[in-house]
Structure formats: C-alpha cells, structure tokens
Amino acid sequence: MGIDSQSHLRRLENESIHIIREVAAEFDNPVMLYSIGKDSAVMLHLALKAFYPSKPPFPLLHVDTTWKFKEMISFRDHTVEKYGLDLIVHTNEEGVKNNINPFDHGSSNYTHIMKTEALKEALTKYKFDAAFGGARRDEEKSRAKERVFSFRSASHGWDPKNQRPELWSLYNGRIAKGESIRAFPLSNWTELDIWQYILAEGIDIVPLYFSAKRPVVERDGTLLMLDDDRFRLEPGEKVEHRDVRFRTLGCYPLTGAVESTADTLEDIVSEMLIARTSERSGRLIDHDSSGSMEKKKREGYF
Amino acid sequence: MNKITPVAEAFDLSNYINSQESKSFLRFLTCGSVDDGKSTLIGRLLYDTKLIFEDQLAALEKDSRKHGTVSDDIDLALLVDGLEAEREQGITIDVAYRFFSTEKRKFIVADTPGHEQYTRNMATGASTADLAILLVDARNGLLTQTRRHAFIASLLGVRHVVLAVNKIDLVDYDQTRFDEIKADFESFSSGFDFDSCEVIPLSARFGDNVTTSSDKLSWFTGPTLLEHLENVELGHEHSEAAFRFPVQWVNRPNLDFRGYSGTVRGGSVNVGDEVVVAQSGKTSRVEKIVTMDGDQVRADDGQSVTLTLTDEIDISRGDVLAPVHSRPDVSDQFAAHLIWMSENAMLPGRPYLLKCGTKTVGASVTEIKHKVDVNTFDHHAAKELSLNEIAFCNLALSEVIAFDPYEANRDTGSFILIDRMTNETVAAGLIWFGLRRATNVHRQALDVNKKARGGLKGQKPAVLWFTGLSGSGKSTIANAVEQKLLSLGRHTYLLDGDNIRHGLNKDLGFTDADRVENIRRVAETSKLFVDAGLITLVSFISPFKAERQLARDLLENDEFYEIFVDTSLEDCEARDPKGLYAKARKGEITNFTGIDSAYEAPEAPELHLKTQGRTVESLADEIVDRLLADGFIGSDNTWVI
C-alpha cells in the first residue's frame, strides 16, 4: 500500500530519520536498544532507511532478562541475520546467578534488577554515549514531557526538572564525559501510527502479535501464556488453549494476552480502532501506582 | 460528534486507511495561566474525541479523588498534568505533547505553562506550532500575559491564533461580557500580522462549545473550538521557499558511492538541478535522489533523502546545498532575536556554541541592541540578559555559516545557543539579517607572519595566562618569570590586570558583564602580541572558566599556558597586599572575587602552582623550565622549533 509523500505517516517518518541521523552524526558511540517489539521493528526500519545504502552505523543492544518469549529470541536472531547487523545481547549475570525471577521477587523488583540494572550495566560497560529507545509520548502521562534527546547523568539518572528545551528540529547533543542521552525518534508517533506504518511498509513483526491458539492461564484478570515449563501454576489454576494475541511484548510471565481472533495485520489495525484499553495496561509493571513510570525513569528505566 | 468509527460488519479497512492517509496535520499550542483551565480544556478535547481509554479513565477517577480540585466529577486536568511533582503542586511546569485525531485532522498539542517565568516553555511549544490557543478566564478578560502570549506566538512565526474565552459558565453565558473581551482582543491583535484570529466562547469543564455547540451559547454563531481547529486553512509553510538542504551525514558505504544525507528544509529539488555549496561557493548538479524505497526524481520540503552529485566536491556535515540563483546568506555576523532560557545571565562577549541547522560553531553576542519588554513591547537598553528575557542582538561567529531570515525560513533562520561548560541550551535565536557579506570582506593574508617574527627573536611565541584570587601572587610570579626570560634574551610583554584597567579597560567596572568584556579585550590583545612573536604574560584574576576558554580558543592549540596560581582564600586574605579584602569584607567594594563574586578554579591547567610553602623564585623557575622543555625557548640562543 503506497503512502502519499505529504501524508502524516511520511511526515513522521521524515522527522524520525532526521533524529536518527542527528544522533549518528553527533555522538561517538551510539547504540540502538532493540526490544524486539513492534516499536523496535519500526525504529529499526527507520534506521535502515536513514542510512541507506549504508548500514546503520551503530549496533543493536538487547537486554535479555532470560524470560522473554522464545519466539521473540528467534525473531531477533533472524532479523539481525537478514540485515547483517551487529547485535549485543546483555544479561545481568549477577541476577541470573541469584536466580532473580518474576515469580519469587515480584514484578517491580525483578524488573529493576533484570531490566533497569542490566541496561545501566550494558551502557556503562560499552561506554555508549547515546542510546535510541522506541518510547512514544502518547504511551503514558509522564512520557508526554519527555524530550527527543533526553539527557542522563553519568549514573544514568533522569532529572525531569533539568531537561533541555527543544525548539524547531534543533537537538543539543553536547554532553560531558560519562554523561549520555536517550534518543526517542518515535516521540511523536501514536500506537495507531505505528500499526498503520507497519501495514503500509510491510514490516515484519513477531508472530505473537497475531492471534493463535496458545496455552494460557487466567490470573488476577490477566491472561498469561505458558511459554516454557518454568511457569509456576498456582493451586486451582488450569491451563486452557485460547485464541489470544499480544498487544505488547516483554517477559512472558509479566505480559498479558488479549483474547482475539485477529490473525492478519489488517485485523489487528481494525481491532485497534475499537480498542478500549490502552496499550501499557498489558504490562503488569505499570499497575503499582499512577506515578510508577516516572519513578522507574528516574531510576534509569527506559 | 467526532467519535472513532466502530468497526461495522463490513468494515472496509483500506478505505479507512486511505481516509487516515488523506488527513491533514495541525500542531498547536495552548497558552494560559494556571487558573485559566488549560489542562482541563486539553483533557476535554481528549475526552470528547474518545482518545481516553477505559483503564486511563479508571486511573483518572482514582486520581481525581486523591488530587482533584473539582468537587464531584472527574477532574479532566489530571489527564494531562504528567509529572508527580506538579500534580502535587497543582500546576503545569513543562511542555507536554498530546495527540488526538478526528475524522479530518491529526493533532499534536503542545501544552505550555503560562505564567511569566515560563516564557521559555511557550517559545519551545510555539517553535513547531501552526496555531496558538490563547486561553482567558471570562471573568478576568485579557490580562498582561495574554499580550505576552500573542507577542511570543507572533515572534516565533505562529500564523494563526484563537482566543478561547473559557469559564463562560461562570459569567452566566453572558454575550455582553464575551463581546467586550472580543472587542478588546481585536483592537490589540490588529497590531500583529496573524493570518487568522478567531474568538470563541467555551466552558472546558462542562464541554460547552469545545467539541459540540451548546444551547446555552445559542447567541454565538461561530464554530466550536474543534470545528475551527479542523477547518482552519494552513498555507504550506516552506513549499514556496527556495530549496535548502543542510547536510547531516556524509553517506559512504563504499568507494563507489558518495551521498549527502539530510532533510529538505524549504522548496524542492529535481535530478539535474544545479546546486551550490553555500559556504564554499562550489557548484555541481544533482545526480540522484536516493531512498531505500528507490531513487526519486524530485524531493520536496520536509523529505529526508540522500543526494548524490555529478562532481566530486568537498562537502561535509553543516554545509548547506541551495539553488545557484537563490542562495542563502553566508556570513559570520548577523542580527537576531534571542530568547534567553538559562538561569545564568547572558553576557556579551562570552563565548557560546551556536547550532543552526546541522552546523555548530563558536559564537558570542557582540552587542545587545535592545531588550524587549514582553508586556508593553517597549525597547530598553541592556547590558545583560536574564532568564525568559528577549532581546535584539548582534552576534559574531567563529566561522561563516549559511542562513536565511527567520521570516523566510523557520528552519534555516533559527538557532540555539549552548553553554560551553554546562552544555545546557541557553537560548533560542531567530535571525533577522546578516550584518555583512563575508564574501566581500577577506581577511588580509600577510607575508610576514607569526612564525617569522618569532623566529627572528629565537623563540616560539605563547601566552602565559596567570589566573588566581586577588593577592594570590600572580603578578609577583609573572614579574619574576619575565625577568628570567629577559635575562635569557627573550622578548616578552606583561599584561597586568590593574595596569590594563587604568588604560585600555578604564571604561569597565566589576559587574559580570564588564568582567567578561575585560577578559575579552585582554585575550584579543594577547593574541596580537603573540602574533607579533612575543612571549606574552597575562596576569588577571579571570575568575570565569568560559572567558579563559575564550582566550584559549583565540590561540592555537599549543600556544596557551593556563597557570593556576593556587593560594587559598584564607592566605590571600591574610596577606591582603592592597587592603582590598578588608574593604570587601566591610562592604566598601562589591563584586569582589572570593567574597561576593565566584572564582571558578581551572580543572586542567597546564601548570598548577600550589604556592603554600614555596618561594617566588622556585615557582618562576618551574614555569621557565616548562617553556624550555616544551621548546618555546632554546637553552642557547637558537630557536629549537
């Protein structure tokens, strides 16, 4: 499906490409965080466009908590091979040694150690001075004020009161040694834009986004998929095979499925249009309190 | 009503996608003060256009009970006030971006706070906006801040404004009151050059005339706010402008391909068009317009593409490609409006970095022509610029750049200033005109140069920049060094702070602005002396890092020795050779470094002299030995470099 050159999707695309190139041009050692989800898929697609016919001049970084869906990992490896990209996979080995998992340690603790800490560890280890993330301003209230170039201190902290004003399309990429930025090229996209763009550009996404019969249990009103035999059933819980799909992807014990029969992109977009629940509600970590995303960001979560 | 269409039995997705695709796009900002109901209005737009999801609504009901300022029903403002701190304070402290769409348009809202100290945020929101909603409380009518908002919107090139007369319910939907405010607004807005100006009564809290017209406002014949936002005609901003292409990234995947990646900022370009590199004047033709989706024959305003040219010419990031017959200005000086965004005041002469398009250069303000009072629009003389102040200034750059007047092109006519030490964005700038065509003024290339002059004296010229507190011993040590150099047969000159202030700088005082100018003049003077082949000793307190950096930047890499004469404040005060500390403590001298004015110690000086327990003789020797070791003076009378 072609897109008109002045359409809003093209405008978003052009803006994102501009941002991605600015980062590549102004930073010594950028990296693209690749979470394997649909936003990452769009971001990677834009990076491929930004530098064509060159390859993106930076590696991808995947923070692997060891609890990702199996299909995510195989999709990741396939994508990297297909485009001949550099991939760095980082896991918090200390966390693995201590068997930190979402069942025993609570979603918030687990996320902090296996995602937030792991990410900081990787950024420090490789001395990245800029990291692309796929966050959008429409996702959550505290994201609405996020800058495109979001400045982080040497300890990866985010100070909401100390962010640089961003005017026109001029981004300030100056940092001192040890400091870094997070760059969000998808800032102005909405969830619907993402899906429309995937549809229009024919971008490959992880099959988990499409409906299929999958083994799930219902827990506290959320449908959780049993991706491997590490999943612990609680007394009385029974595994059912239902037609489900995922609107957002993460660690399988923390990612809620939705009942759906949408098994094509067209169906997914159609379903989006009548959706009455926002995307992040599928992520269990946000449920603690309404300021929880902001707290996580101050600690260094993306 | 503008509901999202439910998926019907025969939902036609491709039709839907096409209708989405043909939607136009409007970016607007809302400005008003804390109490005008701005957040409530945006919450209302999101709520009425069904952009609020069920779980968000549930969170909102919960939050309303906790923080809400509206007694019973849900507080829509809580939908948009994002950060925890401001929710607790009940104010909006930063620019937030919101998204919604209707069947006709897709909208991005920049929600900006309105009280005085946040001019910075409003300018940020306005820089990308097509339209501004100025919000007023019907009970209060136009306020000083309404004028300020209109002025900033106009300055930043926002073409359309809406005066939203909110809380009309609180004046009993009274037409007379509305007409008064409307007349007021029309008389003052006629002074601005907006393309459209609409005045609309509404109640954000109850939803009257926001997205649906209201029986209570039956006397009002104009559109609802949303109707107006959906229908206001936007000209295509830069499509009429001349082609501009700031090069972002040189694209070299292999030896056979050399492309220039960037975004078209104005006009369009076709394969075969002749283009010029504005800064160098070199010309070529567009060979290909490359994208991952295939080569194009044409690229339009806003498109991110990669160009290849028919000739191999030298082009790098920061160069601007333009049509040969319609070139941008190329200069190292221009006049511009500056909006100051930092807590630290702007001081003329202080070196900053300037980013315009994809080019970053050194820059300083050479003159503040006038400061603009944003409430009365009066012009005032000024020596410095504080947070949220706006001034018309002359700027000088370290090298030429290509630019257009802001009026002609918002992208190539805008810039930001960056502090060299803290790296914060300290100002936004809008260029009015170049001050001279650099192409007409060539630097004189002289045959007798620095190296020749230095060679004759058997030395390599340099600046020895002594910095430290008053009474730290700078001048005493500098004096001793000069004597030693003289005895070695070297040619020197000592610029001493006190002496210079009696002559060249006698018009300057001790304010921060004057201190900056003081150092700038001395730095320029020392540069001339170095050019004359002299080893130049500068003994100045020079308390600010930024100015020492300026001096360093004027000279070549290895010509500058920052010598930190490190004597503690207690020791300096105990010695107090000129009795100045005593006077400063009594308040007879103000702005005294170390007492009521800061001294920023050097972080990485070439020489760090801790004076405690050392003699002048040994300190001076240390410096002379360093010059010998670095080859600035030979051990005999022959030049070693």
Side-chain angles (χ1 to χ4, degrees):
Chain A
M1 200 174 298
I3 310 181
D4 181 309
S5 76
Q6 292 298 315
S7 76
H8 82 271
L9 283 184
R10 280 292 173 238
R11 265 182 297 214
L12 290 170
E13 177 187 74
N14 285 320
E15 179 188 60
S16 301
I17 290 175
H18 173 76
I19 292 163
I20 293 170
R21 286 175 178 166
E22 279 299 281
V23 174
E26 294 215 335
F27 290 84
D28 292 333
N29 192 18
V31 68
M32 181 166 276
L33 294 194
Y34 182 65
S35 71
I36 321 175
K38 65 182 195 315
D39 302 294
S40 278
V42 166
M43 184 162 66
L44 175 59
H45 185 76
L46 292 165
L48 293 169
K49 284 196 168 195
F51 303 103
Y52 179 88
S54 296
K55 281 181 191 167
F58 41 74
L60 303 185
L61 170 65
H62 178 228
V63 173
D64 190 351
T65 59
T66 71
W67 290 92
K68 300 293 174 191
F69 290 94
K70 289 194 294 282
E71 280 184 88
M72 291 172 71
I73 302 300
S74 56
F75 180 87
R76 175 195 75 190
D77 294 341
H78 172 75
T79 304
V80 165
E81 200 192 307
K82 180 167 145 195
Y83 296 112
L85 304 169
D86 293 331
L87 170 74
I88 296 169
V89 177
H90 185 83
T91 301
N92 183 345
E93 293 303 338
E94 190 68 24
V96 171
K97 219 189 304 170
N98 295 328
N99 189 27
I100 302 296
N101 66 72
F103 299 105
D104 298 322
H105 301 90
S107 68
S108 146
N109 253 336
Y110 160 78
T111 303
H112 182 75
I113 296 168
M114 297 308 286
K115 272 175 100 169
T116 312
E117 286 302 317
L119 174 62
K120 287 197 222 173
E121 220 175 69
L123 295 176
T124 306
K125 177 176 172 192
Y126 295 100
K127 298 190 168 59
F128 293 120
D129 54 3
F132 291 101
R136 292 176 277 109
R137 285 173 175 153
D138 81 322
E139 278 179 73
E140 208 267 345
K141 268 197 285 193
S142 79
R143 295 234 199 252
K145 300 190 176 188
E146 184 60 283
R147 302 295 196 270
V148 173
F149 277 26
S150 182
F151 176 76
R152 301 298 152 102
S153 66
S155 56
H156 303 293
W158 178 73
D159 176 2
K161 297 234 167 100
N162 190 24
Q163 294 293 312
R164 298 165 177 174
E166 282 178 346
L167 297 98
W168 302 288
S169 49
L170 292 172
Y171 303 103
N172 175 356
R174 308 277 306 183
I175 51 167
K177 207 172 151 60
E179 295 168 347
S180 61
I181 64 144
R182 307 287 179 269
F184 299 115
L186 304 181
S187 286
N188 287 329
W189 295 59
T190 63
E191 189 182 9
L192 187 56
D193 296 328
I194 294 285
W195 283 117
Q196 285 182 359
Y197 189 70
I198 289 171
L199 186 61
E201 295 277 302
I203 299 170
D204 284 339
I205 50 171
V206 183
L208 292 162
Y209 285 111
F210 301 104
S211 172
K213 280 243 186 299
R214 296 189 169 98
V216 291
V217 291
E218 193 169 338
R219 182 177 292 174
D220 303 331
T222 304
L223 287 175
L224 297 176
M225 176 177 158
L226 285 70
D227 195 49
D228 57 36
D229 53 17
R230 290 180 295 174
F231 194 94
R232 296 182 206 159
L233 289 173
E234 281 169 15
E237 280 181 341
K238 71 174 198 293
V239 181
E240 295 170 84
H241 282 76
R242 296 208 212 165
D243 284 320
V244 293
R245 64 179 203 86
F246 294 88
R247 299 181 58 199
T248 172
L249 295 178
C251 299
Y252 82 82
L254 295 176
T255 306
V258 289
E259 296 217 70
S260 163
T261 53
D263 56 4
T264 63
L265 270 178
E266 285 80 0
D267 289 348
I268 290 172
V269 177
S270 306
E271 202 177 85
M272 253 304 291
L273 298 173
I274 46 166
R276 301 299 305 147
T277 309
S278 76
E279 176 184 9
R280 297 193 71 84
S281 72
R283 299 192 191 175
L284 297 182
I285 53 165
D286 288 339
H287 281 181
D288 308 348
S289 78
S290 58
S292 67
M293 178 59 78
E294 189 187 342
K295 281 190 195 120
K296 285 194 186 66
K297 278 173 73 178
R298 287 195 209 207
E299 289 164 3
Y301 180 71
F302 243 78
Chain B
M1 281 294 284
N2 298 274
K3 286 181 190 162
I4 288 174
T5 323
V7 179
E9 293 282 304
F11 179 72
D12 184 340
L13 185 81
S14 65
N15 249 349
Y16 174 80
I17 296 284
N18 286 338
S19 75
Q20 291 292 306
E21 276 310 315
S22 59
K23 267 187 197 177
S24 56
F25 196 58
L26 177 79
R27 292 185 73 137
F28 67 94
L29 83 156
T30 53
C31 17
S33 77
V34 188
D35 304 321
D36 295 333
K38 182 166 47 70
S39 295
T40 310
L41 177 63
I42 296 170
R44 170 63 64 186
L45 283 167
L46 300 182
Y47 185 76
D48 282 4
T49 52
K50 303 287 178 268
L51 261 285
I52 297 173
F53 294 107
E54 270 162 16
D55 59 328
Q56 289 175 334
L57 208 56
L60 178 64
E61 278 163 15
K62 201 171 102 199
D63 277 4
S64 292
R65 284 194 294 276
K66 194 162 140 203
H67 300 286
T69 52
V70 177
S71 47
D72 349 304
D73 34 16
I74 51 172
D75 187 350
L76 290 172
L78 292 176
L79 265 179
V80 296
D81 288 342
L83 304 179
E84 273 181 357
E86 72 189 63
R87 234 184 302 161
E88 275 146 29
Q89 292 161 15
I91 55 161
T92 312
I93 53 169
D94 205 343
V95 189
Y97 296 89
R98 320 283 171 195
F99 306 82
F100 68 97
S101 60
T102 65
E103 283 153 16
K104 286 195 168 167
R105 267 193 178 149
K106 180 180 156 74
F107 299 93
I108 297 184
V109 191
D111 177 9
T112 70
H115 31 292
E116 184 138 29
Q117 57 269 47
Y118 295 124
T119 296
R120 166 172 70 180
N121 293 329
M122 188 186 154
T124 303
S127 73
T128 51
D130 308 303
L131 178 145
I133 296 180
L134 315 181
L135 203 64
V136 295
D137 183 326
R139 293 169 299 177
N140 304 330
L142 302 191
L143 301 174
T144 307
Q145 59 151 347
T146 319
R147 298 168 66 84
R148 180 164 72 234
H149 295 153
F151 172 71
I152 295 168
S154 148
L155 182 69
L156 271 291
V158 176
R159 306 304 315 149
H160 306 271
V161 293
V162 174
L163 184 77
V165 181
N166 190 24
K167 305 195 183 180
I168 197 79
D169 51 303
L170 296 180
V171 296
D172 298 325
Y173 300 93
D174 180 21
Q175 183 178 5
T176 319
R177 179 66 187 138
F178 173 76
D179 288 342
E180 271 167 34
I181 296 172
K182 186 175 181 203
D184 262 9
F185 183 68
E186 282 170 352
S187 80
F188 110 91
S189 68
S190 60
F192 297 107
D193 184 29
F194 295 120
D195 289 351
S196 81
C197 245
E198 193 78 30
V199 186
I200 298 175
L202 54 90
S203 164
R205 186 175 165 196
F206 298 106
D208 300 297
N209 213 38
V210 178
T211 60
T212 48
S213 49
S214 163
D215 293 346
K216 293 167 186 146
L217 294 167
S218 54
W219 47 264
F220 181 68
T221 54
T224 65
L225 178 64
L226 188 62
E227 276 165 9
H228 181 65
L229 295 176
E230 283 184 316
N231 294 309
V232 61
E233 291 254 352
L234 304 170
H236 271 291
E237 194 182 4
H238 289 163
S239 50
E240 309 291 305
F243 169 66
R244 297 287 182 259
F245 191 78
V247 173
Q248 259 189 304
W249 195 73
V250 177
N251 198 329
R252 288 224 78 178
N254 55 57
L255 292 175
D256 302 327
F257 186 94
R258 185 181 186 88
Y260 306 100
S261 298
T263 303
V264 179
R265 300 295 185 192
S268 60
V269 69
N270 293 283
V271 168
D273 283 357
E274 191 176 13
V275 291
V276 63
V277 182
Q279 288 94 326
S280 71
K282 298 232 167 63
T283 61
S284 184
R285 282 181 189 282
V286 176
E287 181 192 40
K288 282 183 188 166
I289 301 171
V290 178
T291 77
M292 196 168 85
D293 302 318
D295 291 357
Q296 299 177 187
V297 292
R298 173 192 166 102
D300 291 311
D301 182 34
Q303 282 195 281
S304 292
V305 295
T306 296
L307 304 181
T308 64
L309 303 179
T310 53
D311 305 275
E312 281 219 8
I313 51 177
D314 188 24
I315 298 175
S316 48
R317 174 174 166 84
D319 282 329
V320 175
L321 304 182
V324 174
H325 52 85
S326 181
R327 304 179 188 209
D329 249 320
V330 175
S331 177
D332 57 4
Q333 291 188 39
F334 53 69
H337 269 117
L338 273 191
I339 302 166
W340 198 252
M341 301 186 152
S342 167
E343 306 276 349
N344 301 316
M346 183 276 278
L347 304 173
R350 172 162 282 192
Y352 299 100
L353 292 172
L354 177 145
K355 185 174 183 187
C356 175
T358 56
K359 184 83 179 170
T360 304
V361 298
S364 63
V365 172
T366 51
E367 189 185 359
I368 301 177
K369 308 291 281 185
H370 60 255
K371 199 157 84 176
V372 183
D373 182 322
V374 290
N375 298 323
T376 61
F377 318 142
D378 289 341
H379 295 176
H380 300 288
K383 284 200 126 184
E384 53 178 65
L385 210 54
S386 312
L387 178 63
N388 290 311
E389 289 190 324
I390 298 175
F392 193 61
C393 304
N394 289 347
L395 285 95
L397 316 182
S398 59
E399 56 185 287
V400 297
I401 63 165
F403 59 86
D404 290 291
Y406 187 74
E407 240 184 358
N409 192 319
R410 243 168 150 179
D411 290 307
T412 52
S414 57
F415 62 88
I416 53 173
L417 290 183
I418 300 166
D419 187 282
R420 301 177 79 118
M421 300 296 156
T422 64
N423 291 323
E424 63 172 329
T425 302
V426 292
L430 305 94
I431 302 173
W432 279 79
F433 46 82
L435 286 173
R436 65 172 189 210
R437 287 191 175 271
T439 43
N440 300 333
V441 185
H442 296 285
R443 197 172 286 278
Q444 286 292 325
L446 302 169
D447 292 334
V448 179
N449 59 22
K450 176 159 59 182
K451 193 172 173 190
R453 294 187 198 100
L456 191 69
K457 299 176 180 70
Q459 63 194 31
K460 190 166 177 275
V463 168
L464 307 180
W465 190 284
F466 294 81
T467 173
L469 294 168
S470 176
S472 59
K474 296 181 298 296
S475 296
T476 313
I477 299 167
N479 230 326
V481 171
E482 193 175 26
Q483 277 176 11
K484 284 179 187 293
L485 290 173
L486 190 77
S487 69
L488 288 168
R490 306 302 159 191
H491 299 255
T492 58
Y493 195 82
L494 173 58
L495 294 165
D496 180 80
D498 290 344
N499 296 345
I500 296 286
R501 278 193 178 274
H502 287 302
L504 177 63
N505 290 357
K506 69 179 169 194
D507 55 327
L508 300 175
F510 289 89
T511 61
D512 282 359
D514 281 356
R515 280 177 186 272
V516 170
E517 175 60 13
N518 183 36
I519 300 302
R520 188 193 69 80
R521 290 186 196 172
V522 171
E524 289 284 358
T525 307
S526 64
K527 183 187 179 185
L528 290 174
F529 282 14
V530 164
D531 202 46
L534 299 175
I535 293 174
T536 310
L537 299 91
V538 179
S539 171
F540 270 68
I541 298 172
S542 44
F544 304 134
K545 277 183 211 161
E547 280 68 52
R548 296 193 300 263
Q549 183 67 39
L550 168 124
R552 184 185 291 276
D553 289 349
L554 281 175
L555 293 152
E556 283 172 38
N557 265 338
D558 54 353
E559 288 175 349
F560 189 83
Y561 281 81
E562 189 174 19
I563 301 170
F564 179 24
V565 182
D566 189 359
T567 308
S568 70
L569 181 62
E570 294 72 40
D571 289 350
C572 291
E573 200 166 351
R575 292 175 51 204
D576 204 6
K578 299 169 200 156
L580 296 173
Y581 284 95
K583 283 187 183 171
R585 287 290 180 201
K586 279 187 239 158
E588 290 166 22
I589 309 176
T590 56
N591 294 325
F592 193 80
T593 302
I595 307 293
D596 57 348
S597 183
Y599 179 77
E600 301 168 4
E603 275 159 13
E606 275 72 13
L607 281 158
H608 187 160
L609 304 180
K610 293 195 170 106
T611 60
Q612 178 76 33
R614 293 187 61 184
T615 62
V616 172
E617 185 72 14
S618 81
L619 292 163
D621 280 339
E622 184 177 338
I623 297 168
V624 174
D625 289 348
R626 176 69 178 269
L627 291 177
L628 277 165
D630 290 354
F632 281 79
I633 49 177
S635 50
D636 54 27
N637 208 6
T638 56
W639 190 24
V640 294
I641 286 190

